[in-house]
Amino acid sequence: QTVVTQEPSFSVSPGGTVTLTCGLSSGSVSTTDYPSWYQQTPGQAPRMLIYNTNSRSSGVPARFSGSIVGNKAALTITGAQADDESDYYCVLYMSGGISVFGGGTKLTVL
Amino acid sequence: EVQLLESGGGLVQPGGSVRLSCAASGFTFSTYAMSWVRQAPGKGLEWVSGLGNSGDYAYYADSVKGRFTVSRDNSKNTLYLQMNSLRAEDTAVYYCAKYGGISVARTTNWFDSWGQGTLVTVSS
């Protein structure tokens, strides 16, 4: 069974840049996997940030961007702010209508 | 504004059943695929099920296949999840979420709107 991998945790300084990644236990992620990214703060529903690899959802600040880096999907936050401290999830499409979320990355801004 | 409002959660005994509902508003419900995503306490997100706009094509995670059934009533703008043979590991907040397009497909595989979730607790 294919597993979607994410870093369990990451930290970034305020104003700094961080890149979170989303990979596959076997194989590479490409644009044809249509990766999307979600932000979730404790007690809240997830919020879509990025879809179709690099399209920013309405209202999402420009400091969030998506890309493919090497064989993984990537979410980059440029100029991190305190309220970016959240859990971040990616999701990939598998065959047969199935979607799989990564395990999530807990981002600390300090 | 898109709104998704889940209901039907609560305490259920192992082996029991419950039906969740998700009332949608603010968009043309019948032209979008819909999904259920769950989150166990302190854990990550898990995709549970997806359903095309007409209700003809349903997909399930292996963990719930054969026990859960997703359906929709486009006349009532409502998505449902019938959950049978419940287990302790099904304890989670269940979110309904709107897909990016009309069908469950690679090219629109994102979830652009989410409800606030409803908690299902499976325990004796």
Side-chain angles (χ1 to χ4, degrees):
Chain A
Q1 183 174 347
T2 301
V3 174
V4 177
T5 62
Q6 295 185 247
E7 300 87 357
S9 62
F10 231 117
S11 64
V12 62
S13 300
T17 296
V18 62
T19 296
L20 312 182
T21 68
C22 174
L24 287 169
S25 56
S26 56
S28 300
V29 178
S30 71
T31 55
T32 59
D33 294 310
Y34 291 80
S36 54
W37 291 90
Y38 304 81
Q39 178 190 50
Q40 187 183 34
T41 53
Q44 298 298 312
R47 165 201 182 197
M48 188 175 76
L49 298 175
I50 300 289
Y51 64 100
N52 192 10
T53 304
N54 55 14
S55 296
R56 201 176 301 115
S57 184
S58 177
V60 173
R63 65 179 184 275
F64 292 93
S65 62
S67 63
I68 298 293
V69 176
N71 61 352
K72 297 181 179 182
L75 174 70
T76 299
I77 307 173
T78 304
Q81 299 182 1
D83 60 3
D84 295 335
E85 187 162 293
S86 301
D87 295 326
Y88 292 87
Y89 296 91
C90 67
V91 66
L92 300 177
Y93 181 89
M94 304 294 168
S95 61
I98 307 300
S99 289
V100 178
F101 282 90
T105 297
K106 183 176 183 62
L107 181 67
T108 301
V109 181
L110 52 73
Chain B
E1 179 193 3
V2 172
Q3 290 197 327
L4 300 170
L5 183 62
E6 301 93 338
S7 61
L11 178 63
V12 187
Q13 290 195 336
S17 298
V18 69
R19 188 177 82 156
L20 306 182
S21 299
C22 171
S25 61
F27 67 104
T28 307
F29 181 72
S30 62
T31 63
Y32 285 92
M34 297 293 295
S35 68
W36 288 98
V37 177
R38 70 183 179 184
Q39 187 169 35
K43 302 297 184 182
L45 300 173
E46 180 187 14
W47 178 87
V48 171
S49 180
L51 183 65
N53 72 306
S54 63
D56 288 348
Y57 296 96
Y59 307 89
Y60 300 94
D62 286 346
S63 58
V64 307
K65 196 175 296 182
R67 300 188 299 123
F68 290 10
T69 302
V70 63
S71 62
R72 63 193 295 162
D73 185 336
N74 286 345
S75 69
K76 296 181 178 179
N77 290 346
T78 302
L79 178 73
Y80 303 100
L81 186 67
Q82 178 67 43
M83 305 165 60
N84 298 331
S85 302
L86 284 162
R87 308 165 180 166
E89 55 264 37
D90 295 317
T91 294
V93 173
Y94 285 75
Y95 297 101
C96 74
K98 172 180 164 288
Y99 273 95
I102 199 168
S103 59
V104 178
R106 180 180 296 272
T107 56
T108 54
N109 195 68
W110 55 83
F111 309 102
D112 55 25
S113 299
W114 298 66
Q116 284 302 306
T118 186
L119 175 63
V120 174
T121 303
V122 184
S123 175
S124 54

